[in-house]
Amino acid sequence: MKAIMVMFDSLNRRLLPNYGCDWTHAPNFKRLAERMVTFDNCFVGSMPCMPARRELHTGRYNFLHRCWGPVEPFDDSMPEMLKEAGIYTHLITDHAHYWEDGGATFHERYNSFEFIRGQEGDAYLGQLKDPVIPPSVEMPGKMGGRNLSKYTREDWINRAQIHSEEDFPMVKTFHKGLSFMERNAGQDNWFLQIETFDPHEPFHSPQKYKDYYPHGYQGKHFDWPPYTNVEQTPEEVEHVKYEYASLLSMCDEYLGRFLDKMDELNLWDDTMVIINTDHGFLLGEHGWWAKCVSPFYNEVAHIPMFIWDPRSKKTGERRESLVQNIDLVPTLLNYFGLEPTKDMQGKDLTAVIAEDQPVRDALLFGIHGGHVNCTDGHYVYMRGWVDGGEQYNYNYTLVPMHIRTRFSVEELKKAKLTDGFSFTKGCPVLQVPGTGTGSRPRTNETFLFDLAKDPGQQNPIKDEAAERQMLGYLIKLMEANDAPAEQYQRLGIMR
């Protein structure tokens, strides 16, 4: 048996033809509707990038206990469990966070890995001379109120190395993935993870993909929206949506090459295929950009997923059951004949794929220090924190790293060694005040939405019975996650 996960970053469900979009050029994503099972109620778990990937290793929520960070020493890692059981595991990625401080322990969980450099602000090429940067809507150093000049500088250095489509990191990533498939098609017992950073911002793609979306934009360069509210003109907003769509179409091209290789190598009979993402992306909806601005509306939280299971051989069908990426961990373990550990909270999706058998009534999602969100597929409940609740937020970790930095000395001076949790295997952990998430909450207000009546989440409702039910789900799921006691204080929840 074999399995392949093809993971895109920031893949927007609402812009795929599989979910009703009629203006993007994505024929190969459309092929998935015929070849695989389409999930209609898949949601994020922990936001954003590396918290989501920790969940793909551990099969449990990250965001209630810590911010962005590496796989912890006490974590059960699905790829590592496969490796130890004799299933060969290989990671191919151009996602630069894997070789930064906050992702430093992920890649060694696999038997082998390949890194493709040059995405976004990946500092891989030594160049003292400043690159040529065109006049831009968002000038370097002013994106989201952060000093991103370093990463913008590196991005333009990286772009200067791209002379043809073959030079794009995503293209190299897929080429290496297809090469692995060719080398190992005749072998058994392997798991391949092809993971591309695209269509993550900046939305950089060759002209031939932009040609799918002709429009009369004459303004400044704009393909990297900020993590702020929308202050740009309607023309600029429309333009960046088309820039995203162009990159989406490029992703579609290489997804098609992957599907063609599956056909060519006759891999469908004994290979599970998972197509997924970590989260969506706001392209001006609700007046905001990006994916780290909470509360998380469905443009970010409601994500696409497609699975082919050669055991049930279900094709061209849709599933309504509530699922998340944490469910892929026990699903893959089961597929290879292994049992999940007691600390894993994800649900095996084998029966969901085969016959849409539900595995949960509700699920959680959120970002460390932000809203704790709960949905049952009908309602979305976004529980905000009480005024002053920020003081009740801590990171619990034995690997004190942020995205690109270690925890500072000032942060660690406030750290305490505390008893661990049910999943830390008897290890005490550091308790460090603060979030370090990069989240930019616009409000701490609590919201309740009725998705059946208001799928666009434009009008929050007041419904005491529905809120009571959703709060009950939220508390039950937090307790199952062994959430820190102070999280309930932060949210103003009395138990």
Side-chain angles (χ1 to χ4, degrees):
M1 304 295 280
K2 312 172 185 71
I4 303 174
M5 178 188 296
V6 179
M7 186 173 183
F8 298 91
D9 193 298
S10 307
L11 182 64
N12 273 325
R13 177 187 189 275
R14 67 193 183 282
L15 294 187
L16 297 179
N18 317 65
Y19 296 99
C21 185
D22 62 0
W23 64 270
T24 54
H25 180 84
N28 294 302
F29 277 103
K30 197 170 183 179
R31 285 169 66 183
L32 300 180
E34 303 167 357
R35 199 66 183 82
M36 304 172 72
V37 166
T38 300
F39 288 81
D40 286 324
N41 278 303
C42 184
F43 284 80
V44 299
S46 298
M47 291 286 296
C49 304
M50 297 318 289
R53 284 156 181 80
R54 186 182 175 207
E55 293 188 345
L56 280 169
H57 280 248
T58 65
R60 64 177 298 117
Y61 299 128
N62 169 91
F63 75 97
L64 291 169
H65 294 90
R66 71 156 300 161
C67 61
W68 189 297
V71 174
E72 297 278 354
F74 45 76
D75 281 345
D76 301 314
S77 165
M78 176 267 292
E80 190 165 52
M81 290 175 65
L82 293 178
K83 178 173 67 173
E84 292 172 349
I87 311 300
Y88 194 93
T89 58
H90 187 64
L91 170 68
I92 301 170
T93 185
D94 60 356
H95 196 288
H97 295 316
Y98 278 109
W99 49 91
E100 295 168 340
D101 288 336
T105 60
F106 284 82
H107 58 279
E108 287 289 354
R109 311 283 70 78
Y110 301 79
N111 287 88
S112 53
F113 55 89
E114 296 178 82
F115 288 159
I116 289 73
R117 305 296 300 272
Q119 283 279 21
E120 197 189 31
D122 181 16
Y124 86 104
L125 186 67
Q127 177 176 316
L128 276 68
K129 183 180 179 180
D130 284 338
V132 176
I133 301 177
S136 304
V137 172
E138 287 297 321
M139 291 303 292
K142 296 183 179 179
M143 303 177 89
R146 296 178 297 168
N147 181 10
L148 285 187
S149 58
K150 175 183 184 296
Y151 306 110
T152 306
R153 181 183 187 277
E154 294 294 343
D155 177 60
W156 283 97
I157 290 173
N158 296 344
R159 293 192 196 206
Q161 313 313 309
I162 296 175
H163 305 291
S164 71
E165 186 167 326
E166 296 300 305
D167 295 329
F168 277 79
M170 176 175 64
V171 176
K172 296 178 181 179
T173 299
F174 271 92
H175 283 342
K176 286 184 176 294
L178 302 187
S179 294
F180 180 95
M181 293 164 66
E182 291 172 345
R183 287 195 307 274
N184 296 288
Q187 304 300 312
D188 200 13
N189 293 325
W190 50 259
F191 169 64
L192 170 64
Q193 185 169 332
I194 303 173
E195 183 180 332
T196 180
F197 193 60
D198 292 320
H200 189 289
E201 72 280 6
F203 308 138
H204 181 209
S205 64
Q207 184 61 43
K208 77 177 191 181
Y209 299 105
K210 299 179 191 298
D211 289 344
Y212 289 124
Y213 309 98
H215 58 290
Y217 181 71
Q218 299 294 322
K220 295 179 180 178
H221 177 86
F222 189 29
D223 64 8
W224 194 344
Y227 287 12
T228 63
N229 60 304
V230 175
E231 297 178 345
Q232 293 73 25
T233 67
E235 292 76 19
E236 289 165 344
V237 173
E238 178 188 55
H239 173 67
V240 88
K241 286 181 179 179
Y242 287 138
E243 293 289 83
Y244 176 93
S246 302
L247 186 53
L248 174 67
S249 293
M250 186 178 180
C251 292
D252 180 83
E253 169 70 22
Y254 289 90
L255 172 64
R257 298 192 189 192
F258 164 77
L259 296 175
D260 291 343
K261 187 62 65 175
M262 288 290 298
D263 293 340
E264 175 190 329
L265 299 174
N266 296 313
L267 285 172
W268 294 106
D269 287 343
D270 64 352
T271 307
M272 175 178 280
V273 178
I274 298 166
I275 311 294
N276 67 324
T277 189
D278 48 2
H279 50 71
F281 194 92
L282 286 168
L283 290 166
E285 298 88 354
H286 304 281
W288 286 82
W289 294 111
K291 78 276 186 173
C292 287
V293 180
S294 62
F296 295 126
Y297 293 100
N298 273 359
E299 287 83 1
V300 172
H302 197 186
I303 57 176
M305 187 161 72
F306 311 89
I307 300 179
W308 158 255
D309 189 336
R311 297 168 297 179
S312 60
K313 299 187 184 301
K314 296 291 184 178
T315 62
E317 298 185 13
R318 305 185 80 95
R319 299 292 179 256
E320 293 295 323
S321 298
L322 281 172
V323 301
Q324 295 183 283
N325 276 335
I326 59 172
D327 300 329
L328 297 177
V329 174
T331 303
L332 283 162
L333 291 173
N334 170 279
Y335 177 75
F336 285 109
L338 304 179
E339 294 292 328
T341 69
K342 65 178 180 61
D343 294 326
M344 291 177 173
Q345 297 178 295
K347 308 296 183 181
D348 180 7
L349 298 181
T350 301
V352 180
I353 299 165
E355 54 192 26
D356 207 8
Q357 181 176 311
V359 291
R360 58 168 58 82
D361 296 320
L363 54 79
L364 292 183
F365 60 93
I367 194 169
H368 190 70
H371 288 73
V372 177
N373 309 278
C374 181
T375 185
D376 63 356
H378 184 157
Y379 296 102
V380 171
Y381 182 58
M382 303 172 170
R383 181 77 182 201
W385 57 99
V386 298
D387 291 338
E390 297 85 355
Q391 64 182 305
Y392 300 117
N393 201 53
Y394 297 89
N395 287 294
Y396 292 94
T397 180
L398 286 175
V399 192
M401 301 287 185
H402 294 307
I403 300 177
R404 300 180 179 93
T405 64
R406 300 163 291 176
F407 275 38
S408 69
V409 171
E410 292 305 313
E411 286 178 289
L412 291 174
K413 282 180 179 179
K414 302 173 185 176
K416 297 179 181 178
L417 196 62
T418 68
D419 291 339
F421 299 90
S422 59
F423 57 91
T424 63
K425 300 178 175 56
C427 297
V429 292
L430 290 172
Q431 181 194 61
V432 188
T435 62
T437 60
S439 175
R440 290 161 184 79
R442 68 194 82 174
T443 178
N444 64 338
E445 186 178 351
T446 294
F447 298 102
L448 177 67
F449 290 98
D450 184 337
L451 296 180
K453 297 179 179 179
D454 181 22
Q457 295 173 293
Q458 298 296 318
N459 302 294
I461 64 171
K462 299 293 184 182
D463 185 324
E464 291 185 6
E467 182 166 358
R468 190 162 52 248
Q469 175 180 324
M470 296 307 297
L471 180 58
Y473 283 141
L474 184 145
I475 292 171
K476 181 179 178 180
L477 289 165
M478 287 180 64
E479 290 174 344
N481 189 240
D482 200 4
E486 69 272 5
Q487 283 281 6
Y488 300 95
Q489 293 175 276
R490 187 177 76 90
L491 299 172
I493 295 174
M494 303 296 294
R495 291 187 294 161

